Amino acid sequence: MSRLNGPNVVLVAGARPNFVKLAPLHRALLSRSGVRPSIVHTGQHYDDAMSAVFFRELGIPTPDVELGAGSGSHTEQTASIMLRFEPTITKYKPRLVIVFGDVNSTLACALVAAKMGIPVAHVEAGLRSNDWTMPEEINRVLTDRLSDRLYAPSRDACNNLAREGIPEERIRLVGNIMVDTLLWQLPLIDQVSILRTFGVEPQRYILVTLHRPSNVDDGATLEGITTALGRVAASETVIFPVHPRTRDHLARLGLKGSLGRTHSVDPLPYRTFLALMANARVVLTDSGGVQEETTALGVPCLTARQNTERPVTILEGTNRLVDSDPESLVEALKNDGGRRGRIPDLWDGRAAERIADDLLAVYTPLPAS
Ligand code: UD1
């Protein structure tokens, strides 16, 4: 490849939530003249259901580089991604590296780029749970420290960054890029036929997603959750797409039986999951993205965690924290519903355009690499 025509901006994605955030920014950058974006997939998520299906549904081009890092301990995974990413930077010498969210791939690639003197832009900067036991919190804080441009989804995120001493001129409030994808995809989805496939009617079922180590890695906690789901599923349909991490722990701990009539399925494609989310009576989750998507959809959400890095979903949206013990869960699942919030400022489907405008303003002219 001729260096003159090579990519000058590298976008990094590795895990499921990254793909949903990358899609609109890649599109926005492609439409700007002089920008030659390249996609690097770290391989943190590699199953078709966790990765390739998102590329297909969201029309993301095949990655230019596949690092194939795969699973492992946090150290193994982070180190493997770093070692595999460095040659890409050496080869492309991009003007900029863009990272998304808070997964191990985010931090690994931000660190490589920063050490090699390449500016880093972080999309979804400034979120803080203030819970240092969460691997994502470590990734967030360190990635923000390494970044030159910090794109925040909400005002609280800007305030967190300012409090940590990040110069204000590097911080931009751009809104929530996941909502860009949601508003773009929702009208394209045949919701009626998806609900029919699952045999459910709007507002007559519960949708569940759980994969955080704090919920699924500990046997007693996971058993409490599955017992609660089994109880609720006796009288209302519960649809539970099971993340690979959760699936492995359910099998290892022999807990599948306690789910009762819960309708467990493999991880779902983006559009199918969005249709089920939009029509659920209530969603139970521990995902960050689902807290935001339910707020954007106006669907009640229960988050099985002690804290959230996304307080705006509670203060303005439809989210509420709930304990993971069976009594609290059954009570919340049976009684929650009907709560409506408001859509936070700038969650309007234009975050990617704002980011692209800012990047062009700061880094123009983007020279050939
Ligand atoms: C990761 C992110 C988390 C994000 C989540 C979304 C970190 C620290 N965590 O958690 O923030 O919310 O992705 O899904 O980056 N596995 C497969 N197939 C795959 C991927 C994973 O079977 O395609 C299994 C493997 O056994 C692996 C386990 O799932 O060890 C966990 O995957 P990993 O990427 O380490 O963490 P997640 O729990 O997915």
Side-chain angles (χ1 to χ4, degrees), residues 87 92 180 204 298 307 317 324 352:
Y92 287 170
D180 291 19
R204 303 282 294 275
N307 50 55
S324 297

Side-chain angles (χ1 to χ4, degrees), residues 17 44-47 71 74 103-104 136 211 243-245 248:
Q44 177 173 346
H45 285 173
Y46 42 84
D47 287 350
S71 302
H74 284 270
V103 303
N104 286 343
E136 293 81 5
H211 70 278
H243 185 286
R245 175 185 201 101
D248 293 349

Side-chain angles (χ1 to χ4, degrees), residues 193-264:
S193 72
I194 291 172
L195 294 200
R196 198 179 301 130
T197 306
F198 283 83
V200 288
E201 289 175 28
Q203 277 80 55
R204 303 282 294 275
Y205 64 93
I206 298 168
L207 181 65
V208 177
T209 76
L210 296 163
H211 70 278
R212 292 272 160 223
S214 60
N215 281 324
V216 306
D217 287 9
D218 173 63
T221 307
L222 187 56
E223 184 168 11
I225 293 172
T226 54
T227 304
L229 293 180
R231 266 194 238 161
V232 173
S235 56
E236 184 173 5
T237 303
V238 176
I239 303 176
F240 182 18
V242 185
H243 185 286
R245 175 185 201 101
T246 311
R247 176 195 64 208
D248 293 349
H249 287 287
L250 286 173
R252 184 175 55 81
L253 298 163
L255 289 173
K256 285 192 213 159
S258 60
L259 284 167
R261 293 174 59 193
T262 301
H263 186 23
S264 326

